[in-house]
Amino acid sequence: MITADLRPTDLIILDAIDWPSFWALRMYQMVSYYLPSPTPPLLLLRGQPDEALVREIESFERVYIISPREELPNPAPETFPYTEHSRYLKELGWVYRCSRRAPTAEFQGG
């Protein structure tokens, strides 16, 4: 699901919130090893993102979140609602695809 569909405007987030450092780095290396080259940016999320990081995340077109959790905190849910997720991948977890929400047309009376 993830490698066949990647674009340069995508961001990959590895959910490592509250993980021990050695485990998070191991997963980061494992994920980056399997990505095609050149790869889109890969963000290791170690804690809840601050506002500046959320704005940076929102600058991408699509976000893929790799996480072992089924209930995953989405760093930008207003901008990137979940659209689908993969089957559970051994040792990695789920791959969630979040696509940018299309802007809603506002009614302008007249």
Side-chain angles (χ1 to χ4, degrees):
M1 172 181 142
I2 190 169
T3 57
D5 197 29
L6 286 176
R7 303 178 200 157
T9 55
D10 294 343
L11 171 67
I12 300 169
I13 297 176
L14 177 59
D15 168 30
I17 296 173
D18 299 328
W19 289 11
S21 293
F22 73 90
W23 186 256
L25 293 176
R26 176 181 174 275
M27 297 304 284
Y28 182 90
Q29 291 169 351
M30 183 186 303
V31 169
S32 59
Y33 177 81
Y34 286 107
L35 290 175
S37 183
T39 183
L42 178 61
L43 171 65
L44 181 66
L45 192 60
R46 296 294 311 277
Q48 294 299 327
D50 60 19
E51 289 182 29
L53 182 55
V54 170
R55 282 193 302 276
E56 189 174 332
I57 291 169
E58 289 176 333
S59 70
F60 290 88
E61 289 299 314
R62 294 184 306 178
V63 174
Y64 287 88
I65 303 173
I66 302 172
S67 175
R69 307 172 219 251
E70 286 194 54
E71 294 299 323
L72 165 70
N74 186 340
E78 298 301 318
T79 306
F80 295 106
Y82 294 130
T83 55
E84 65 179 301
H85 67 83
S86 70
R87 295 187 316 268
Y88 190 85
L89 304 175
K90 183 180 178 185
E91 296 188 17
L92 291 181
W94 307 95
V95 178
Y96 292 89
R97 181 164 69 185
C98 306
S99 297
R100 181 177 292 284
R101 185 185 303 274
T104 57
E106 292 186 21
F107 175 76
Q108 298 188 10

